[in-house]
Amino acid sequence: MFIKPRCSWEESKGSGLHQWIKQKENPHPSEVDVIVYGSLLSYAEDPTRTAQYPNSFREAWPDFQSYNLDEQINLRALSVVDIGDVAIYPTDKMLSHSAVEAAAENLCMAFSRSFTCLIGGDHSITAESIRGIKNAYPRDRIGIIQLDMHLGAHNFGEIRMGNKAPIHELMEAGVVEGAHIYHVGSYGFFNSPEMIHYTREHGIHMITLKQMRRDGLQLTIREMLRQLMYEVDRIYVSVDMDVLDVMFVPEVPAAASGGLTAFELFDILKLIGENAGVRHLDFVCADSKKDELHPTTVKTGIIAFLNWLTGIQLDKHNRI
């Protein structure tokens, strides 16, 4: 189900990410706070091409330390394990989607107390990951927070616009309810009237970037989490990297001027990490059209990930 990642690090003493995050195929569930895994599935340009971000994400670990200077805490108190990449089938989209779904389901069942973080990959893996979680917890109501420039709730077949439509797929299948979905960070001229109409018609909460900045970032995120905690049993957060201003994610194909700043995303994910109801996170759509990802894009994603872990550690410390 999982394959060893192309980039692997030997265990050694030190505070670097590559020395702290363990890479194990079969870790014991009681020893894991956070599971990290990758999906190389990427159909954005070429069906035979694999996603770049999971391996680029790992390759940059030596550039980072486990200590958060801003919060004065050491993240080494958390046990973070990289379990590898989902074994996918580059020329078989349906089989690859099934593999991601099965992987998410098995991780939820094997590591029921752990948080999960999926590094992708295109946005279709979000739907498959959530399907897997629903399979593992059929009685649980799942809430979704999607940080994305695009609404992603349209019917691709009917409207013929945009990329995959994970939110539409999940609602049509009855996996999630529109009222339990919060779309955050859209702006500008990137969403069609049909997409906006579909979103409103199905009760999806749409919070534009302008609205969030006007009302206050922290207040908006805290109120959204508070509301979801009343209505659902677990929360899934999906971060489409194109939600960021292009200056922070160079060469991400859909990114444009005017998006979230990196600092805003870091604050959002720290706040999200402080809420124990958020059990799952993914990062998607970072892949460049070129051969390699820009180092700035890679590092921005890693710092965002570390801020989420910071929130988890702060919440854990406060509860203790």
Side-chain angles (χ1 to χ4, degrees), residues 32-49:
V32 181
D33 293 313
V34 181
I35 282 281
V36 178
Y37 67 113
S39 170
L40 303 178
L41 186 62
S42 180
Y43 286 99
E45 298 296 325
D46 181 352
T48 63
R49 186 178 177 185

Side-chain angles (χ1 to χ4, degrees), residues 19-282:
Q19 298 165 317
W20 158 47
I21 299 177
K22 298 179 177 65
Q23 291 181 301
K24 292 184 176 180
E25 293 180 8
N26 297 297
H28 194 280
S30 64
E31 300 174 352
V32 181
D33 293 313
V34 181
I35 282 281
V36 178
Y37 67 113
S39 170
L40 303 178
L41 186 62
S42 180
Y43 286 99
E45 298 296 325
D46 181 352
T48 63
R49 186 178 177 185
T50 56
Q52 308 161 55
Y53 195 47
N55 283 307
S56 297
F57 185 85
R58 296 177 176 105
E59 287 168 357
W61 285 353
D63 296 336
F64 296 89
Q65 298 290 312
S66 62
Y67 193 81
N68 186 325
L69 182 62
D70 297 319
E71 300 295 334
Q72 302 285 299
I73 63 170
N74 195 333
L75 297 179
R76 287 184 70 90
L78 291 173
S79 174
V80 183
V81 175
D82 172 15
I83 204 167
D85 294 322
V86 180
I88 61 166
Y89 308 87
T91 58
D92 193 324
K93 178 180 177 181
M94 187 174 296
L95 200 56
S96 294
H97 282 172
S98 296
V100 175
E101 179 179 337
E105 179 180 355
N106 278 274
L107 286 178
C108 282
M109 296 180 71
F111 303 93
S112 58
R113 61 175 290 273
S114 304
F115 299 89
T116 66
C117 181
L118 172 58
I119 310 296
D122 70 38
H123 217 155
S124 68
I125 66 173
T126 297
E128 306 313 319
S129 174
I130 294 174
R131 286 180 196 274
I133 294 165
K134 186 67 173 180
N135 293 342
Y137 303 104
R139 294 178 180 272
D140 280 10
R141 296 163 298 173
I142 300 175
I144 300 174
I145 298 173
Q146 179 169 306
L147 298 163
D148 195 342
M149 173 203 289
H150 304 99
L151 292 172
H154 59 290
N155 185 327
F156 180 70
E158 294 176 4
I159 299 176
R160 301 181 182 279
M161 294 184 67
N163 297 316
K164 307 297 182 295
I167 301 303
H168 175 87
E169 292 177 12
L170 292 168
M171 287 194 302
E172 290 296 303
V175 177
V176 295
E177 298 178 21
H180 297 158
I181 300 168
Y182 283 77
H183 187 282
V184 182
S186 54
Y187 68 96
F189 306 88
F190 308 104
N191 293 283
S192 71
E194 292 88 351
M195 293 163 70
I196 296 167
H197 174 73
Y198 181 93
T199 299
R200 290 173 174 163
E201 185 180 43
H202 288 78
I204 298 172
H205 303 273
M206 181 174 58
I207 303 172
T208 66
L209 181 53
K210 183 176 182 178
Q211 179 184 346
M212 182 168 64
R213 285 172 172 164
R214 182 195 64 205
D215 296 341
L217 184 147
Q218 290 206 14
L219 181 64
T220 300
I221 298 300
R222 290 189 190 280
E223 177 59 26
M224 178 174 55
L225 289 168
R226 185 192 67 81
Q227 189 65 36
L228 271 175
M229 287 297 289
Y230 278 117
E231 300 172 348
V232 302
D233 301 294
R234 61 183 56 239
I235 301 171
Y236 189 107
V237 175
S238 180
V239 181
D240 187 319
M241 295 295 278
D242 70 22
V243 76
L244 288 158
D245 188 289
V246 68
M247 70 179 292
F248 300 104
V249 284
E251 298 176 5
V252 167
S257 299
L260 275 174
T261 68
F263 319 108
E264 288 172 326
L265 179 61
F266 301 159
D267 283 346
I268 288 170
L269 288 183
K270 184 178 80 68
L271 287 170
I272 283 172
E274 290 178 28
N275 189 295
V278 180
R279 307 301 302 174
H280 314 281
L281 176 74
D282 73 32

